[in-house]
Amino acid sequence: MTSDRKPEAGAEFSHRSVLLDSAVDYLVSDSIGKYVDATFGRGGHSQLILGRLGASGKLLGIDKDPEAIHVAEEFAAGDPRFSYFHGSFAELSRAVSEAGWEQVNGVLMDLGVSSPQLDDASRGFSFMRDGPLDMRMNPQQSPSAAEWLMYADESEIADVIFRYGEERFGRRIARSIVERRKETPIETTLQLAALVSDAVPKKEKHKHPATRTFQAVRIFINRELEDLETGLQGAVDRLAPGGRLVVISFHSLEDRLVKRFMRDLARGPRLPKGIPVTAAQEASDFRLIGKASKAGAGEVSENVRARSAVMRVLERIDNQQASPTGSA
C-alpha cells in the first residue's frame, strides 16, 4: 500500500502495493487458472497477476470504491482476461457466479484503506490533511462519518472507538464529541483530530492521538470486519483443490480475525472426545502455507505504512496429489 503523489497539484495518486511480489508468488500456481483480486484498489496486484497468466488465464477484480472501478474499467478495456465487479468482497461468491465461474484457483485480499484513499484529503480518511469527514470507501453509501457522529448516542460512539480502535480513552472522546456537536457540527477531519487530541490526557510517543479513533470510525462506517468474515468464507467456499487464499492485514483486529479463521480451518473439525471417527473424518481440507510474513526492511524504509503489514496464506488441499490412491 505504498503511495507517492505525482508532482502536479490535484493529480492522481500512484500506488505500489505492499508485499506485492511475495503475495502474487504465493497466489498464482496455474498460468491458465482463474483468480480473484478481491481488493482491486489501483490494480497493483492485478497488473502483476496478469503478467503471470497465460492467454487462457482469467482474473476478476472486486472493489467497492468507484474510483477503483474507473481504473478497473481501463484494465478490462485493455485486457480480455480481466473482468471486474463493483461491490464489497463480502459479495465475492456472487461476483464469481456473475463471472460465470464455479471455482477459482486463488483469492487475494489486501485489507484496509489504500494509500490513494489516505492521501486524498477529499476522502476524509486522514487526520493529517484537512478535508470533509467522509471515510466511506463507497461514497454512494450512507452514512458518512460526519453524519454518524452527528446523530449517534454517546454510548454507541464510545463503544465503537473502544471496540474497533482499542482506544482506552474512548468514553472521554465520545463525551467530547457529543458536547462539541451541540455547538457546531464536526464536519472536517482536522476538527475531529483536534477534538480527539484535546480529549486524550496521555499521548503515545510517535503516534498521533487521533490514530485509533479514525481507525475505529472508518472500520465501523465501512463494516470492514463484518465484510471480512463474510468474504473469507466466500473465498474458501469457492477455492478449487490446490487453490490458495492470500490475505494481507494492516492492523491487529484484522489479523487476529484472519489468523483465527485460517487456523480453525487448517485444524479441521473439532469433534467431542469419545466419539469414534476415522482419520479421514478428522482430517482438514485446508492447510496453512508457511508462517505469517511481513514486509522487509527495504520496503518499510520506502513506506512506513508497510511496517504493520502481515500476510497469511491458506491452501485447499488437493487430495489427488496428497494421496496416490485419491480419486476424482
Side-chain angles (χ1 to χ4, degrees), residues 15-41:
H15 176 71
R16 178 172 173 81
S17 303
V18 172
L19 293 164
L20 175 64
D21 294 304
S22 55
V24 176
D25 286 343
Y26 275 115
L27 181 74
V28 180
S29 59
D30 184 351
S31 65
I32 60 171
K34 296 180 176 71
Y35 294 90
V36 178
D37 182 352
T39 45
F40 176 79

PDB file of all heavy atoms in Angstrom, residues 15-41:
ATOM      1  N   HIS A  15       0.499   4.160  -6.950  1.00  0.00           N
ATOM      2  CA  HIS A  15       0.306   3.211  -5.858  1.00  0.00           C
ATOM      3  C   HIS A  15       1.078   1.933  -6.122  1.00  0.00           C
ATOM      4  O   HIS A  15       0.959   1.357  -7.193  1.00  0.00           O
ATOM      5  CB  HIS A  15      -1.193   2.904  -5.759  1.00  0.00           C
ATOM      6  CG  HIS A  15      -1.537   1.854  -4.737  1.00  0.00           C
ATOM      7  ND1 HIS A  15      -1.454   2.068  -3.401  1.00  0.00           N
ATOM      8  CD2 HIS A  15      -1.980   0.588  -4.894  1.00  0.00           C
ATOM      9  CE1 HIS A  15      -1.853   0.975  -2.750  1.00  0.00           C
ATOM     10  NE2 HIS A  15      -2.158   0.065  -3.641  1.00  0.00           N
ATOM     11  N   ARG A  16       1.928   1.537  -5.173  1.00  0.00           N
ATOM     12  CA  ARG A  16       2.577   0.248  -5.243  1.00  0.00           C
ATOM     13  C   ARG A  16       2.186  -0.536  -4.012  1.00  0.00           C
ATOM     14  O   ARG A  16       2.391  -0.094  -2.887  1.00  0.00           O
ATOM     15  CB  ARG A  16       4.092   0.365  -5.343  1.00  0.00           C
ATOM     16  CG  ARG A  16       4.777  -1.012  -5.360  1.00  0.00           C
ATOM     17  CD  ARG A  16       6.261  -0.922  -5.661  1.00  0.00           C
ATOM     18  NE  ARG A  16       6.890  -2.226  -5.501  1.00  0.00           N
ATOM     19  CZ  ARG A  16       6.884  -3.198  -6.398  1.00  0.00           C
ATOM     20  NH1 ARG A  16       6.255  -3.010  -7.548  1.00  0.00           N
ATOM     21  NH2 ARG A  16       7.480  -4.351  -6.177  1.00  0.00           N
ATOM     22  N   SER A  17       1.643  -1.706  -4.199  1.00  0.00           N
ATOM     23  CA  SER A  17       1.106  -2.493  -3.105  1.00  0.00           C
ATOM     24  C   SER A  17       2.212  -3.088  -2.237  1.00  0.00           C
ATOM     25  O   SER A  17       3.276  -3.473  -2.731  1.00  0.00           O
ATOM     26  CB  SER A  17       0.243  -3.636  -3.656  1.00  0.00           C
ATOM     27  OG  SER A  17      -0.778  -3.129  -4.472  1.00  0.00           O
ATOM     28  N   VAL A  18       1.960  -3.156  -0.942  1.00  0.00           N
ATOM     29  CA  VAL A  18       2.881  -3.780  -0.004  1.00  0.00           C
ATOM     30  C   VAL A  18       2.899  -5.298  -0.231  1.00  0.00           C
ATOM     31  O   VAL A  18       1.869  -5.889  -0.549  1.00  0.00           O
ATOM     32  CB  VAL A  18       2.453  -3.453   1.440  1.00  0.00           C
ATOM     33  CG1 VAL A  18       3.266  -4.252   2.452  1.00  0.00           C
ATOM     34  CG2 VAL A  18       2.594  -1.960   1.710  1.00  0.00           C
ATOM     35  N   LEU A  19       4.086  -5.903  -0.084  1.00  0.00           N
ATOM     36  CA  LEU A  19       4.250  -7.352  -0.251  1.00  0.00           C
ATOM     37  C   LEU A  19       3.767  -7.822  -1.625  1.00  0.00           C
ATOM     38  O   LEU A  19       3.253  -8.926  -1.775  1.00  0.00           O
ATOM     39  CB  LEU A  19       3.510  -8.109   0.865  1.00  0.00           C
ATOM     40  CG  LEU A  19       4.079  -7.933   2.273  1.00  0.00           C
ATOM     41  CD1 LEU A  19       3.075  -8.390   3.327  1.00  0.00           C
ATOM     42  CD2 LEU A  19       5.373  -8.718   2.432  1.00  0.00           C
ATOM     43  N   LEU A  20       3.945  -6.971  -2.609  1.00  0.00           N
ATOM     44  CA  LEU A  20       3.401  -7.227  -3.939  1.00  0.00           C
ATOM     45  C   LEU A  20       3.907  -8.542  -4.526  1.00  0.00           C
ATOM     46  O   LEU A  20       3.126  -9.429  -4.874  1.00  0.00           O
ATOM     47  CB  LEU A  20       3.754  -6.058  -4.863  1.00  0.00           C
ATOM     48  CG  LEU A  20       3.364  -6.184  -6.337  1.00  0.00           C
ATOM     49  CD1 LEU A  20       1.858  -6.248  -6.486  1.00  0.00           C
ATOM     50  CD2 LEU A  20       3.935  -5.015  -7.125  1.00  0.00           C
ATOM     51  N   ASP A  21       5.213  -8.673  -4.668  1.00  0.00           N
ATOM     52  CA  ASP A  21       5.768  -9.845  -5.346  1.00  0.00           C
ATOM     53  C   ASP A  21       5.513 -11.135  -4.583  1.00  0.00           C
ATOM     54  O   ASP A  21       5.114 -12.147  -5.170  1.00  0.00           O
ATOM     55  CB  ASP A  21       7.271  -9.663  -5.575  1.00  0.00           C
ATOM     56  CG  ASP A  21       7.568  -8.533  -6.542  1.00  0.00           C
ATOM     57  OD1 ASP A  21       7.043  -8.570  -7.665  1.00  0.00           O
ATOM     58  OD2 ASP A  21       8.310  -7.605  -6.177  1.00  0.00           O
ATOM     59  N   SER A  22       5.725 -11.115  -3.269  1.00  0.00           N
ATOM     60  CA  SER A  22       5.555 -12.347  -2.494  1.00  0.00           C
ATOM     61  C   SER A  22       4.094 -12.785  -2.459  1.00  0.00           C
ATOM     62  O   SER A  22       3.796 -13.984  -2.505  1.00  0.00           O
ATOM     63  CB  SER A  22       6.099 -12.170  -1.072  1.00  0.00           C
ATOM     64  OG  SER A  22       5.504 -11.058  -0.439  1.00  0.00           O
ATOM     65  N   ALA A  23       3.169 -11.835  -2.407  1.00  0.00           N
ATOM     66  CA  ALA A  23       1.746 -12.193  -2.401  1.00  0.00           C
ATOM     67  C   ALA A  23       1.363 -12.899  -3.695  1.00  0.00           C
ATOM     68  O   ALA A  23       0.671 -13.926  -3.687  1.00  0.00           O
ATOM     69  CB  ALA A  23       0.884 -10.947  -2.204  1.00  0.00           C
ATOM     70  N   VAL A  24       1.815 -12.365  -4.817  1.00  0.00           N
ATOM     71  CA  VAL A  24       1.489 -12.965  -6.115  1.00  0.00           C
ATOM     72  C   VAL A  24       2.226 -14.285  -6.304  1.00  0.00           C
ATOM     73  O   VAL A  24       1.696 -15.224  -6.906  1.00  0.00           O
ATOM     74  CB  VAL A  24       1.776 -11.970  -7.256  1.00  0.00           C
ATOM     75  CG1 VAL A  24       1.523 -12.612  -8.619  1.00  0.00           C
ATOM     76  CG2 VAL A  24       0.901 -10.729  -7.100  1.00  0.00           C
ATOM     77  N   ASP A  25       3.450 -14.391  -5.770  1.00  0.00           N
ATOM     78  CA  ASP A  25       4.179 -15.665  -5.818  1.00  0.00           C
ATOM     79  C   ASP A  25       3.376 -16.774  -5.147  1.00  0.00           C
ATOM     80  O   ASP A  25       3.279 -17.895  -5.656  1.00  0.00           O
ATOM     81  CB  ASP A  25       5.540 -15.538  -5.133  1.00  0.00           C
ATOM     82  CG  ASP A  25       6.546 -14.748  -5.958  1.00  0.00           C
ATOM     83  OD1 ASP A  25       6.307 -14.579  -7.170  1.00  0.00           O
ATOM     84  OD2 ASP A  25       7.554 -14.300  -5.380  1.00  0.00           O
ATOM     85  N   TYR A  26       2.825 -16.474  -3.974  1.00  0.00           N
ATOM     86  CA  TYR A  26       2.012 -17.459  -3.258  1.00  0.00           C
ATOM     87  C   TYR A  26       0.709 -17.752  -3.993  1.00  0.00           C
ATOM     88  O   TYR A  26       0.217 -18.877  -3.997  1.00  0.00           O
ATOM     89  CB  TYR A  26       1.685 -16.955  -1.856  1.00  0.00           C
ATOM     90  CG  TYR A  26       2.749 -17.228  -0.817  1.00  0.00           C
ATOM     91  CD1 TYR A  26       3.429 -16.187  -0.202  1.00  0.00           C
ATOM     92  CD2 TYR A  26       3.061 -18.537  -0.443  1.00  0.00           C
ATOM     93  CE1 TYR A  26       4.398 -16.422   0.763  1.00  0.00           C
ATOM     94  CE2 TYR A  26       4.020 -18.781   0.523  1.00  0.00           C
ATOM     95  CZ  TYR A  26       4.691 -17.727   1.121  1.00  0.00           C
ATOM     96  OH  TYR A  26       5.656 -17.971   2.075  1.00  0.00           O
ATOM     97  N   LEU A  27       0.135 -16.736  -4.612  1.00  0.00           N
ATOM     98  CA  LEU A  27      -1.206 -16.843  -5.172  1.00  0.00           C
ATOM     99  C   LEU A  27      -1.248 -17.665  -6.456  1.00  0.00           C
ATOM    100  O   LEU A  27      -2.074 -18.576  -6.589  1.00  0.00           O
ATOM    101  CB  LEU A  27      -1.762 -15.446  -5.447  1.00  0.00           C
ATOM    102  CG  LEU A  27      -3.176 -15.386  -6.014  1.00  0.00           C
ATOM    103  CD1 LEU A  27      -4.204 -15.705  -4.934  1.00  0.00           C
ATOM    104  CD2 LEU A  27      -3.451 -14.003  -6.632  1.00  0.00           C
ATOM    105  N   VAL A  28      -0.401 -17.323  -7.410  1.00  0.00           N
ATOM    106  CA  VAL A  28      -0.521 -17.873  -8.770  1.00  0.00           C
ATOM    107  C   VAL A  28       0.272 -19.173  -8.907  1.00  0.00           C
ATOM    108  O   VAL A  28       1.500 -19.161  -8.874  1.00  0.00           O
ATOM    109  CB  VAL A  28      -0.059 -16.849  -9.826  1.00  0.00           C
ATOM    110  CG1 VAL A  28      -0.189 -17.451 -11.230  1.00  0.00           C
ATOM    111  CG2 VAL A  28      -0.872 -15.568  -9.720  1.00  0.00           C
ATOM    112  N   SER A  29      -0.462 -20.255  -9.089  1.00  0.00           N
ATOM    113  CA  SER A  29       0.168 -21.571  -9.262  1.00  0.00           C
ATOM    114  C   SER A  29      -0.129 -22.174 -10.629  1.00  0.00           C
ATOM    115  O   SER A  29       0.479 -23.167 -11.021  1.00  0.00           O
ATOM    116  CB  SER A  29      -0.325 -22.536  -8.176  1.00  0.00           C
ATOM    117  OG  SER A  29      -1.743 -22.669  -8.237  1.00  0.00           O
ATOM    118  N   ASP A  30      -1.076 -21.571 -11.357  1.00  0.00           N
ATOM    119  CA  ASP A  30      -1.508 -22.124 -12.637  1.00  0.00           C
ATOM    120  C   ASP A  30      -1.714 -20.968 -13.626  1.00  0.00           C
ATOM    121  O   ASP A  30      -2.589 -20.122 -13.415  1.00  0.00           O
ATOM    122  CB  ASP A  30      -2.810 -22.908 -12.453  1.00  0.00           C
ATOM    123  CG  ASP A  30      -3.281 -23.607 -13.720  1.00  0.00           C
ATOM    124  OD1 ASP A  30      -2.693 -23.352 -14.793  1.00  0.00           O
ATOM    125  OD2 ASP A  30      -4.243 -24.382 -13.641  1.00  0.00           O
ATOM    126  N   SER A  31      -0.920 -20.927 -14.667  1.00  0.00           N
ATOM    127  CA  SER A  31      -0.971 -19.801 -15.602  1.00  0.00           C
ATOM    128  C   SER A  31      -2.274 -19.730 -16.390  1.00  0.00           C
ATOM    129  O   SER A  31      -2.582 -18.706 -16.995  1.00  0.00           O
ATOM    130  CB  SER A  31       0.208 -19.859 -16.574  1.00  0.00           C
ATOM    131  OG  SER A  31       0.114 -21.010 -17.394  1.00  0.00           O
ATOM    132  N   ILE A  32      -3.051 -20.818 -16.375  1.00  0.00           N
ATOM    133  CA  ILE A  32      -4.348 -20.782 -17.066  1.00  0.00           C
ATOM    134  C   ILE A  32      -5.511 -20.849 -16.066  1.00  0.00           C
ATOM    135  O   ILE A  32      -6.630 -21.196 -16.423  1.00  0.00           O
ATOM    136  CB  ILE A  32      -4.463 -21.916 -18.113  1.00  0.00           C
ATOM    137  CG1 ILE A  32      -4.333 -23.295 -17.451  1.00  0.00           C
ATOM    138  CG2 ILE A  32      -3.427 -21.746 -19.205  1.00  0.00           C
ATOM    139  CD1 ILE A  32      -4.656 -24.442 -18.404  1.00  0.00           C
ATOM    140  N   GLY A  33      -5.213 -20.522 -14.815  1.00  0.00           N
ATOM    141  CA  GLY A  33      -6.229 -20.585 -13.769  1.00  0.00           C
ATOM    142  C   GLY A  33      -7.110 -19.349 -13.707  1.00  0.00           C
ATOM    143  O   GLY A  33      -6.930 -18.383 -14.462  1.00  0.00           O
ATOM    144  N   LYS A  34      -8.057 -19.401 -12.800  1.00  0.00           N
ATOM    145  CA  LYS A  34      -8.981 -18.291 -12.552  1.00  0.00           C
ATOM    146  C   LYS A  34      -8.674 -17.714 -11.172  1.00  0.00           C
ATOM    147  O   LYS A  34      -8.651 -18.449 -10.177  1.00  0.00           O
ATOM    148  CB  LYS A  34     -10.436 -18.764 -12.610  1.00  0.00           C
ATOM    149  CG  LYS A  34     -10.878 -19.286 -13.983  1.00  0.00           C
ATOM    150  CD  LYS A  34     -12.332 -19.716 -13.931  1.00  0.00           C
ATOM    151  CE  LYS A  34     -12.838 -20.154 -15.308  1.00  0.00           C
ATOM    152  NZ  LYS A  34     -12.228 -21.444 -15.705  1.00  0.00           N
ATOM    153  N   TYR A  35      -8.490 -16.397 -11.102  1.00  0.00           N
ATOM    154  CA  TYR A  35      -8.076 -15.755  -9.857  1.00  0.00           C
ATOM    155  C   TYR A  35      -8.959 -14.544  -9.549  1.00  0.00           C
ATOM    156  O   TYR A  35      -9.552 -13.938 -10.448  1.00  0.00           O
ATOM    157  CB  TYR A  35      -6.606 -15.324  -9.943  1.00  0.00           C
ATOM    158  CG  TYR A  35      -5.681 -16.519 -10.026  1.00  0.00           C
ATOM    159  CD1 TYR A  35      -5.329 -17.058 -11.258  1.00  0.00           C
ATOM    160  CD2 TYR A  35      -5.207 -17.138  -8.879  1.00  0.00           C
ATOM    161  CE1 TYR A  35      -4.504 -18.176 -11.341  1.00  0.00           C
ATOM    162  CE2 TYR A  35      -4.388 -18.249  -8.943  1.00  0.00           C
ATOM    163  CZ  TYR A  35      -4.043 -18.765 -10.186  1.00  0.00           C
ATOM    164  OH  TYR A  35      -3.249 -19.883 -10.257  1.00  0.00           O
ATOM    165  N   VAL A  36      -9.010 -14.204  -8.253  1.00  0.00           N
ATOM    166  CA  VAL A  36      -9.794 -13.055  -7.797  1.00  0.00           C
ATOM    167  C   VAL A  36      -8.896 -12.111  -7.017  1.00  0.00           C
ATOM    168  O   VAL A  36      -8.263 -12.523  -6.036  1.00  0.00           O
ATOM    169  CB  VAL A  36     -10.972 -13.490  -6.901  1.00  0.00           C
ATOM    170  CG1 VAL A  36     -11.742 -12.263  -6.411  1.00  0.00           C
ATOM    171  CG2 VAL A  36     -11.904 -14.439  -7.643  1.00  0.00           C
ATOM    172  N   ASP A  37      -8.806 -10.857  -7.468  1.00  0.00           N
ATOM    173  CA  ASP A  37      -8.190  -9.790  -6.682  1.00  0.00           C
ATOM    174  C   ASP A  37      -9.348  -9.094  -5.980  1.00  0.00           C
ATOM    175  O   ASP A  37     -10.019  -8.239  -6.554  1.00  0.00           O
ATOM    176  CB  ASP A  37      -7.428  -8.836  -7.599  1.00  0.00           C
ATOM    177  CG  ASP A  37      -6.711  -7.731  -6.822  1.00  0.00           C
ATOM    178  OD1 ASP A  37      -6.932  -7.623  -5.600  1.00  0.00           O
ATOM    179  OD2 ASP A  37      -5.939  -6.981  -7.453  1.00  0.00           O
ATOM    180  N   ALA A  38      -9.593  -9.503  -4.737  1.00  0.00           N
ATOM    181  CA  ALA A  38     -10.806  -9.076  -4.029  1.00  0.00           C
ATOM    182  C   ALA A  38     -10.733  -7.648  -3.518  1.00  0.00           C
ATOM    183  O   ALA A  38     -11.739  -7.110  -3.042  1.00  0.00           O
ATOM    184  CB  ALA A  38     -11.095 -10.036  -2.871  1.00  0.00           C
ATOM    185  N   THR A  39      -9.569  -7.024  -3.594  1.00  0.00           N
ATOM    186  CA  THR A  39      -9.395  -5.620  -3.208  1.00  0.00           C
ATOM    187  C   THR A  39      -8.579  -4.953  -4.303  1.00  0.00           C
ATOM    188  O   THR A  39      -7.398  -4.659  -4.133  1.00  0.00           O
ATOM    189  CB  THR A  39      -8.675  -5.514  -1.851  1.00  0.00           C
ATOM    190  OG1 THR A  39      -7.550  -6.427  -1.839  1.00  0.00           O
ATOM    191  CG2 THR A  39      -9.607  -5.892  -0.707  1.00  0.00           C
ATOM    192  N   PHE A  40      -9.206  -4.695  -5.427  1.00  0.00           N
ATOM    193  CA  PHE A  40      -8.506  -4.251  -6.633  1.00  0.00           C
ATOM    194  C   PHE A  40      -7.718  -2.961  -6.422  1.00  0.00           C
ATOM    195  O   PHE A  40      -6.586  -2.833  -6.886  1.00  0.00           O
ATOM    196  CB  PHE A  40      -9.518  -4.082  -7.776  1.00  0.00           C
ATOM    197  CG  PHE A  40      -8.915  -3.534  -9.031  1.00  0.00           C
ATOM    198  CD1 PHE A  40      -8.201  -4.356  -9.888  1.00  0.00           C
ATOM    199  CD2 PHE A  40      -9.060  -2.183  -9.357  1.00  0.00           C
ATOM    200  CE1 PHE A  40      -7.629  -3.848 -11.051  1.00  0.00           C
ATOM    201  CE2 PHE A  40      -8.501  -1.674 -10.519  1.00  0.00           C
ATOM    202  CZ  PHE A  40      -7.779  -2.511 -11.367  1.00  0.00           C
ATOM    203  N   GLY A  41      -8.295  -1.986  -5.731  1.00  0.00           N
ATOM    204  CA  GLY A  41      -7.597  -0.727  -5.470  1.00  0.00           C
ATOM    205  C   GLY A  41      -7.240   0.006  -6.740  1.00  0.00           C
ATOM    206  O   GLY A  41      -8.087   0.389  -7.535  1.00  0.00           O
TER     207      GLY A  41
END
